[in-house]
Amino acid sequence: MSLGLGPTAALEASGAPSRWLRVRQKLSYTAKDLCSKDGEVRHKAAEALASLCKGERLAKALAGNLPPMLRGLKAGEDAPVKLAILGALRSIAEKNDAIAVAQHSYALLPCLKDENILVQRKVSALYRVLAEEGAAAMVARDVTSIMHCFESTQASNSSLSAPLEALAAIACAGEGAAVARVVERLLIGLRDPRPKIRCGTCTTMAAIGRGGAKELLGYLGLVEDPEAIANAGTLFEMLVCVALDDKDETVRLAAADALRCLPEADPDTCDETRQRFPKLVERVRKLYSGYAKGETEEILLNALGITTGEACVICQDPLHLDGGPLELRCGHIFHKKCCESWIEWVKRCNRTPSCPLCRAHIFDAWGKINK
């Protein structure tokens, strides 16, 4: 078996033809060794190819004829051989030949189903590199298989973050619509006990929105599982609950970041969003203390269009606290509780209740507060 490198590739690989002939002969022997019945021989051959691919010129030459190398990824091959070949393919992809590798992504699919978790991790990392190096459109067809890889590791209680990183990279590269097809299956990651996996799940959702599928996410993510977080019904509600309740600060921030990639968080739709999710609005309002506000809280407040700049002139706390605001007929706004306390104090002083600012009468003819 020969790698079949042409004369042009040979000249590019080395300025000295005689040296290249020796290299080519070595490659030919290495390719033959990949078909050996001896596992150790195949392993050494795969490692030799991985080492050769670290050189830019040789990697480019090898990129022109990958099938002999890809035979080391066939089902049933020993894990060390697969790991070495995957490392070689990654070196090739990182040297501006990602398209050449992506054209043979069908050969990577068995590795996503491999029983060895190290192989699954390495092939997922290769998919991420391919997406980052310009081949996202070509590997987007494998999104379902990458998602299945993540699910299989979840089922074995050894969840990998690498498949999530691969999906996020594919989405970020403009293939958000392709990754959005598996977003409902992705929600299982939010229930993983490891913060890294929960964070990776949120990051992938954010990537979907930023990768051109923001509007599509508005129609996805309906939760039918009764054990879902907080029994949330939509993706928006679920992410708000994670941002409010998760024990890990990094996960809360990642959920909030994903939240603002949804159409419900668009500033132009905040009024409609507040009407759709009144319970969430109330929870977020209670969250904000008025004295300390982190990035997560800031994102939640902005996503729901809750303003915190105005303060009650009586107590100086934000108007959305302490029962919410009350607008008097004169146009001035205070906390309802503060206004009621003010009225009680003025009445004890035998004075006519009036606005604390402009002194306009607060009561109408029936003794009710003018609203």
Side-chain angles (χ1 to χ4, degrees):
M1 180 187 296
S2 171
L3 288 177
L5 301 175
T8 302
L11 291 174
E12 289 179 350
S14 174
S18 59
R19 180 188 173 193
W20 172 250
L21 289 176
R22 291 195 298 272
V23 172
R24 183 174 181 176
Q25 187 177 30
K26 181 179 180 180
L27 290 174
S28 179
Y29 289 144
T30 303
K32 290 180 180 178
D33 287 344
L34 281 176
C35 296
S36 172
K37 295 182 179 180
D38 190 321
E40 185 175 350
V41 173
R42 296 197 305 274
H43 184 201
K44 289 181 178 179
E47 286 188 331
L49 285 174
S51 179
L52 290 170
C53 287
K54 292 180 181 179
E56 185 168 351
R57 290 181 179 178
L58 282 175
K60 191 170 186 63
L62 287 168
N65 192 4
L66 290 175
M69 186 186 303
L70 297 175
R71 295 184 184 185
L73 300 179
K74 64 181 182 296
E77 181 57 89
D78 294 338
V81 176
K82 292 182 180 180
L83 291 172
I85 294 298
L86 290 171
L89 293 174
R90 177 168 177 170
S91 294
I92 293 172
E94 291 175 335
K95 293 175 175 58
N96 300 318
D97 280 301
I99 298 298
V101 177
Q103 288 175 339
H104 301 279
S105 64
Y106 61 87
L108 304 179
L109 296 178
C111 294
L112 289 171
K113 301 177 182 179
D114 200 273
E115 295 180 357
N116 190 301
I117 195 167
L118 295 179
V119 173
Q120 290 180 310
R121 178 186 290 118
K122 199 147 192 173
V123 71
S124 297
L126 175 56
Y127 270 105
R128 174 183 58 77
V129 171
L130 291 174
E132 293 173 345
E133 295 296 326
M138 301 180 71
V139 298
R141 61 196 174 197
D142 297 337
V143 160
T144 301
S145 296
I146 297 172
M147 185 66 227
H148 178 75
C149 177
F150 172 69
E151 290 174 327
S152 67
T153 63
Q154 275 249 318
S156 62
N157 295 319
S158 56
S159 306
L160 285 177
S161 61
L164 295 178
E165 293 167 1
L167 292 173
I170 293 172
C172 279
E175 298 298 324
V179 183
R181 296 198 303 266
V182 299
V183 68
E184 293 183 3
R185 294 164 60 184
L186 191 64
L187 296 178
I188 189 175
L190 293 177
R191 298 194 293 276
D192 194 281
R194 280 151 289 199
K196 184 178 181 180
I197 300 300
R198 300 198 302 276
C199 186
T201 300
C202 294
T203 300
T204 304
M205 291 183 185
I208 292 172
R210 294 191 175 105
K214 180 176 180 178
E215 294 302 322
L216 186 59
L217 284 180
Y219 302 98
L220 296 176
L222 295 178
V223 181
E224 299 177 357
D225 186 351
E227 297 181 357
I229 296 176
N231 294 319
T234 67
L235 184 57
F236 183 86
E237 291 172 289
M238 174 171 276
L239 289 174
V240 171
C241 290
V242 174
L244 289 172
D245 302 328
D246 199 277
K247 297 178 180 179
D248 189 276
E249 182 178 354
T250 304
V251 178
R252 293 197 301 272
L253 180 57
D257 184 51
L259 184 71
R260 58 184 174 185
C261 294
L262 300 182
E264 292 93 335
D266 192 301
D268 295 333
T269 63
C270 281
D271 290 341
E272 179 182 345
T273 300
R274 285 197 303 274
Q275 294 176 7
R276 285 183 60 193
F277 308 110
K279 292 183 179 179
L280 293 181
V281 171
E282 186 62 27
R283 287 198 64 193
V284 174
R285 279 178 170 167
K286 290 180 179 179
L287 170 74
Y288 178 61
S289 65
Y291 300 101
K293 180 170 60 176
E295 186 175 359
T296 300
E297 289 82 358
E298 182 72 39
I299 294 173
L300 287 173
L301 291 167
N302 290 337
L304 290 166
I306 300 174
T307 58
T308 60
E310 283 190 273
C312 172
V313 297
I314 297 176
C315 70
Q316 296 302 307
D317 279 342
L319 284 170
H320 67 270
L321 297 178
D322 298 327
L326 171 68
E327 182 177 358
L328 302 181
R329 182 167 293 178
C330 60
H332 293 125
I333 304 174
F334 312 93
H335 285 134
K336 182 178 179 181
K337 291 182 178 179
C338 291
C339 196
E340 291 173 346
S341 298
W342 166 261
I343 292 172
E344 291 178 4
W345 181 80
V346 170
K347 289 171 67 176
R348 286 199 299 268
C349 296
N350 294 319
R351 293 165 52 190
T352 302
S354 60
C355 172
L357 288 177
C358 67
R359 302 303 179 185
H361 286 185
I362 289 181
F363 290 113
D364 59 20
W366 293 274
K368 298 179 181 179
I369 296 178
N370 283 305
K371 300 180 181 179

